[in-house]
Amino acid sequence: MLIGNYTPSLVLISVFVAILASYTALDLAGRVATANGRATYLWMSGGGLAMGVGVWAMHFMGMLALHLPIELVFDVPITVLSLLIAILASGFALWLVSQPRLPMLQLSFGALIMGAGISGMHYCGMAALRMQPGIEYEPARFALSLLIAFSASAAALWIAFRLRQQTPHVRLFRAGAAVFMGMAIAGMHYTAMSAATFADGSFCGAIGNGLRVDGLDKLVLIASLEVLSIALLTSILDARLESRTAELSNSLSVANRELTQLALHDTLTGLPNRVLLADRIEQAMRTVEEHGGWFALMFMDLDGFKPINDAFGHHMGDQLLREVALRLRNDMNGRNTLARIGGDEFVLLVELPERDEAPAYAAQQVTLLSQPFLVADNSVQISASIGIALYPGNGETQHELLMNADAAMYHAKAAGKNGYSFFDASMNTNARNQLQLLQDLRSGLKEQQFCLYYQPKFDAVTGQPIGAEALLRWHHPLQGLLLPDKFIGLAEKTGLIIPIGDWVLNEACRQMRVWHTQGYSHWRIAVNLSALQFCHTGLVDSVANALILHQLPANNLTLEITETTAMSDADASMAVLQQLAEMGVDLSIDDFGTGYSSLMYLKRLPANEIKIDRGFVRDLEHDSDDAAIVSAIVALGQALGLRIVAEGVETDMQQSFLTKLGCDSLQGFLLGHPLPAEKFMADINAAETPVDEQESASEV
Ligand code: C2E
Ligand code: CA
Ligand code: CA
């Protein structure tokens, strides 16, 4: 038997190469696991190649470390085959550990294949010597070498699978595992080598056309180290790049989240906005469809928010809105949604196990918001009007549900605020009717469907007519004659009151010009102004133009503005009224007694007349308070040198009482209804004609 001996330095180098190959393999397994798409296959084939070369180099170095007393030459094709086996087994191992899961069965099967691969490479490599006679293997050691190959493969696969994620200290773990794996691979090799016996007189069959050993060790070493370090370096650089990309994509997703937050939330309160609300409503609709139950959409509008905003400024208004949001949110349970969809409009989406829980919930919100708020050290009192739409029942789409809840909210406002209303179909018709009416109003203005009725005013003492109030009427093509309460509110809301008001002013002046010419030059025509007209910058010009156009002296025109309008922005009103007064226009404070008049302002206003609200006149006979108020107003007006007019006089008793109190003039159904100009004049003429003339006329 030939006795071989090993060159220790080459043995050491072979073990080192095994460890390095193991480390590279573990690192590459990490790359394969985190790469995606085509990169996975690139890493797998490149990795398989590098690792295969590494393992094979270890084995080959181990063979070169062996010295037998005969010359050793390697058969080239068989050697290449052994390298191929190593590469294939490595590629397979990488593929296996890149799978999402690695159950026991798969692991054992993989270990079997990989173990067979490594052993196959080794014994194939040995066969490349083409020894004559063949190498004999000692069965026990041969079996042991297979066992080591198998278990080292199993351990390697398991470790590689475990260490493939990028976790802290993963490199350290990999280094430890690589040492273990390298030793195992080397252990397998040297166990297998020790199983081999070379019979005396054996010789290498490959001599002649094989690879000679001289210098081969250095070549293999350098080549394999090169392959391994290139693979390792690429892998490390790529990992860096990947972690940098991960960092970038992380900050990108943070930015994305912030953008989404901005796009879907209200910046003032941080609550969901209309867009997100729509989404949540749709989600809630799906939930109800799948699992049953109900949800309520509560449309909340704050009562009295605008005056607070106007009086204390936007900063305070914003603060109040935040407080409202906070209070509502604190009261809410997690599955409901609170959104802010407009200035002082909030919407609460509430999931309900039972439909009849909605009223209690709504009442709770009303109570919650009617408690005072503390805003910048001020106690502020507001309330809320809530409109409720239920699903299923009050709409098929999120849009419809919101519209209906909105309509119900208007109903709650109209019903006195600080409360809630459930939607019902009639509210929708109302909204639709309003829309139709608005269209009609626009065309009504174009097609001159408006006209003025005139209600006479009389001197309280002499009973003589002293003029008329012009009252707007609309000949609606379908609905007939409409009174102002049907359309003035809508005209004010939409701004149409400005052109309509101009028309009224012109028409009233035109009519007064006619009467002026007929000899009633001492009359005054009274025209009502709404708040919006009064605030409109063009008012003074409009009035001046109307007077000039109809050549009417300014003093033949009385402008009636309500007390509330005159007082709401007293300083601005003062300026406008001053200009009108300077023109010589007569000014009357309408509906006096219903607002909160400050006597101070009243004194400064350049008004000529106050008009006692007809509410006081109506209850004069039954309510002693009203009688006291009316006499106080008369006394006040007299003290300020103003004319006092009472409107809404319907009975003889009211007439005589008001006359006795000292009212200057009277207006009301008792004395004359509003009528078109001709009928109005017919009545006046009839009253002026002496009684006996009337009788003789009827006799004719
Ligand atoms: P107002 O200025 O207080 O006008 C008096 C209203 O009381 C008129 O109703 C008149 O028909 C009614 N009235 C007169 N005498 C009596 C009475 O003895 N008893 C009762 N119960 N009512 C009486 P109308 O014409 O329906 O006008 C309602 C309101 O519409 C007016 O209240 C005024 O504020 C507004 N308005 C009317 N015409 C115009 C206009 O041209 N422009 C603007 N901006 N508002 C107008
Ligand atoms: Ca009036
Ligand atoms: Ca009035």
Side-chain angles (χ1 to χ4, degrees):
M1 190 179 84
L2 298 175
I3 304 295
N5 66 319
Y6 288 97
T7 318
S9 58
L10 277 180
V11 172
L12 262 177
I13 288 174
S14 78
V15 174
F16 170 74
V17 170
I19 293 174
L20 188 65
S22 301
Y23 186 85
T24 310
L26 287 174
D27 202 74
L28 290 171
R31 297 292 68 224
V32 174
T34 51
N36 30 29
R38 270 181 50 199
T40 319
Y41 295 100
L42 276 174
W43 278 118
M44 218 164 334
S45 33
L49 184 76
M51 184 180 156
V53 168
V55 172
W56 176 83
M58 175 272 139
H59 143 87
F60 202 70
M61 301 289 293
M63 301 253 304
L64 293 177
L66 173 71
H67 288 286
L68 285 177
I70 55 168
E71 192 189 4
L72 292 181
V73 176
F74 295 94
D75 180 88
V76 178
I78 302 183
T79 305
V80 170
L81 181 66
S82 74
L83 175 61
L84 253 150
I85 294 177
I87 291 172
L88 282 178
S90 301
F92 167 76
L94 278 178
W95 172 78
L96 198 65
V97 297
S98 70
Q99 298 309 302
R101 293 182 331 109
L102 187 59
M104 215 34 217
L105 195 71
Q106 219 155 310
L107 178 79
S108 337
F109 184 66
L112 209 63
I113 293 188
M114 200 178 148
I118 290 176
S119 325
M121 166 203 74
H122 178 84
Y123 289 106
C124 180
M126 293 290 277
L129 289 172
R130 299 222 338 243
M131 292 306 287
Q132 306 275 333
I135 305 169
E136 275 179 27
Y137 291 103
E138 201 251 307
R141 295 211 182 175
F142 175 71
L144 183 64
S145 78
L146 292 188
L147 192 68
I148 294 177
F150 171 74
S151 29
S153 299
L157 286 175
W158 186 80
I159 292 171
F161 185 75
R162 275 318 173 86
L163 291 182
R164 62 191 190 151
Q165 298 307 357
Q166 289 291 348
T167 47
H169 310 304
V170 73
R171 294 202 179 277
L172 210 67
F173 286 125
R174 274 185 196 158
V179 172
F180 166 77
M181 276 168 65
M183 304 285 261
I185 293 171
M188 179 266 150
H189 174 88
Y190 290 106
T191 311
M193 289 297 272
S194 72
T197 47
F198 300 85
D200 277 332
S202 309
F203 67 94
C204 253
I207 287 181
N209 50 3
L211 274 177
R212 304 180 60 85
V213 171
D214 313 324
L216 211 55
D217 48 358
K218 291 196 188 68
L219 193 72
V220 170
L221 179 67
I222 290 168
S224 60
L225 282 181
E226 222 154 71
V227 171
L228 284 176
S229 38
I230 287 173
L232 198 58
L233 215 70
T234 320
S235 167
I236 290 171
L237 285 179
D238 185 69
R240 288 262 167 84
L241 198 70
E242 191 187 17
S243 80
R244 182 93 191 93
T245 316
E247 232 169 70
L248 277 177
S249 92
N250 196 32
S251 56
L252 198 68
S253 73
V254 168
N256 260 333
R257 260 203 305 282
E258 274 167 15
L259 270 180
T260 321
Q261 166 81 15
L262 275 181
L264 296 179
H265 291 80
D266 160 45
T267 39
L268 180 69
T269 59
L271 292 176
N273 64 10
R274 198 180 271 277
V275 182
L276 185 53
L277 175 69
D279 191 58
R280 296 276 170 86
I281 297 174
E282 264 156 19
Q283 233 171 303
M285 287 167 68
R286 278 196 296 275
T287 309
V288 167
E289 261 140 43
E290 280 162 22
H291 306 287
W294 301 81
F295 72 82
L297 210 57
M298 303 194 169
F299 198 113
M300 309 185 188
D301 189 283
L302 304 183
D303 310 319
F305 175 75
K306 201 178 145 13
I308 290 176
N309 208 31
D310 290 345
F312 296 99
H314 290 288
H315 181 69
M316 183 96 158
D318 285 356
Q319 186 67 30
L320 177 60
L321 288 173
R322 271 195 288 266
E323 293 291 327
V324 168
L326 198 69
R327 190 180 286 181
L328 287 172
R329 192 159 43 186
N330 285 344
D331 182 68
M332 222 169 64
N333 88 37
R335 283 173 5 140
N336 298 335
T337 297
L338 174 67
R340 175 168 173 249
I341 62 168
D344 59 347
E345 294 171 339
F346 294 84
V347 173
L348 193 58
L349 172 72
V350 189
E351 292 183 17
L352 300 167
E354 288 303 329
R355 177 198 174 104
D356 40 318
E357 285 176 30
Y361 201 95
Q364 186 185 329
Q365 308 304 313
V366 171
T367 318
L368 200 64
L369 292 180
S370 62
Q371 315 295 319
F373 286 88
L374 194 68
V375 182
D377 291 335
N378 295 294
S379 174
V380 179
Q381 177 92 46
I382 51 163
S383 59
S385 300
I386 304 183
I388 305 161
L390 289 169
Y391 187 86
N394 295 160
E396 298 297 322
T397 63
Q398 61 90 10
H399 181 68
E400 210 180 324
L401 282 166
L402 257 179
M403 287 245 302
N404 290 345
D406 187 27
M409 186 277 290
Y410 272 105
H411 194 262
K413 282 244 189 248
K417 305 182 175 170
N418 193 24
Y420 60 87
S421 283
F422 280 87
F423 172 78
D424 83 68
S426 70
M427 295 174 185
N428 223 336
T429 353
N430 279 347
R432 253 196 297 274
N433 288 347
Q434 285 292 94
L435 207 65
Q436 181 62 49
L437 199 65
L438 179 60
Q439 281 170 8
D440 294 352
L441 203 54
R442 291 211 172 94
S443 55
L445 186 64
K446 260 193 239 130
E447 288 162 27
Q448 306 201 331
Q449 293 165 0
F450 294 106
C451 69
L452 290 181
Y453 273 34
Y454 299 92
Q455 185 178 33
K457 283 178 171 179
F458 296 93
D459 184 290
V461 181
T462 66
Q464 287 300 306
I466 54 163
E469 177 175 3
L471 294 163
L472 184 60
R473 298 292 182 265
W474 178 15
H475 284 290
H476 189 279
L478 297 175
Q479 299 181 42
L481 189 71
L482 294 183
L483 293 176
D485 61 331
K486 281 269 189 297
F487 60 87
I488 286 280
L490 189 62
E492 283 176 338
K493 244 199 290 190
T494 53
L496 273 178
I497 193 66
I498 301 293
I500 294 179
D502 278 348
W503 179 85
V504 171
L505 204 56
N506 260 293
E507 175 60 13
C509 289
R510 188 196 62 76
Q511 183 59 60
M512 185 59 222
R513 176 72 246 175
V514 174
W515 289 333
H516 194 282
T517 315
Q518 288 173 0
Y520 301 99
S521 56
H522 61 290
W523 281 8
R524 284 198 185 97
I525 186 81
V527 171
N528 292 287
L529 290 186
S530 74
L532 199 71
Q533 280 175 282
F534 193 64
C535 301
H536 194 66
T537 45
L539 177 68
V540 177
D541 286 344
S542 290
V543 172
N545 290 341
L547 291 174
I548 291 167
L549 183 66
H550 301 290
Q551 297 179 312
L552 194 68
N555 199 36
N556 284 108
L557 176 66
T558 300
L559 294 179
E560 294 192 4
I561 54 164
T562 66
E563 185 188 7
T564 336
T565 306
M567 298 298 172
S568 71
D569 186 352
D571 290 328
S573 309
M574 194 73 77
V576 176
L577 288 175
Q578 206 68 54
Q579 280 175 279
L580 292 169
E582 275 161 21
M583 280 163 58
V585 175
D586 189 69
L587 298 171
S588 173
I589 310 290
D590 204 352
D591 299 348
F592 193 82
T594 53
Y596 344 64
S597 278
S598 147
L599 287 181
M600 280 292 294
Y601 277 121
L602 189 60
K603 221 177 96 185
R604 284 170 51 203
L605 283 180
N608 310 88
E609 179 184 276
I610 50 183
K611 218 170 170 184
I612 300 172
D613 186 68
R614 61 177 182 276
F616 296 113
V617 175
R618 185 183 55 219
D619 298 331
L620 217 48
E621 292 157 48
H622 322 285
D623 195 327
S624 58
D625 277 354
D626 278 355
I629 291 173
V630 171
S631 55
I633 293 176
V634 172
L636 173 76
Q638 283 171 344
L640 293 173
L642 300 171
R643 299 195 311 269
I644 319 289
V645 186
E647 63 177 344
V649 181
E650 291 182 352
T651 66
D652 292 324
M653 230 210 82
Q654 290 166 348
Q655 181 184 20
S656 63
F657 187 84
L658 291 163
T659 310
K660 259 185 241 146
L661 273 182
C663 287
D664 298 285
S665 39
L666 303 177
Q667 181 185 348
F669 291 168
L670 176 72
L671 308 163
H673 282 265
L675 291 171
E678 312 87 76
K679 283 206 188 121
F680 170 87
M681 274 321 274
D683 278 10
I684 294 286
N685 287 332
E688 271 178 357
T689 320
V691 178
D692 48 292
E693 262 182 45
Q694 277 183 28
E695 277 169 359
S696 58
S698 63
E699 276 164 15
V700 174

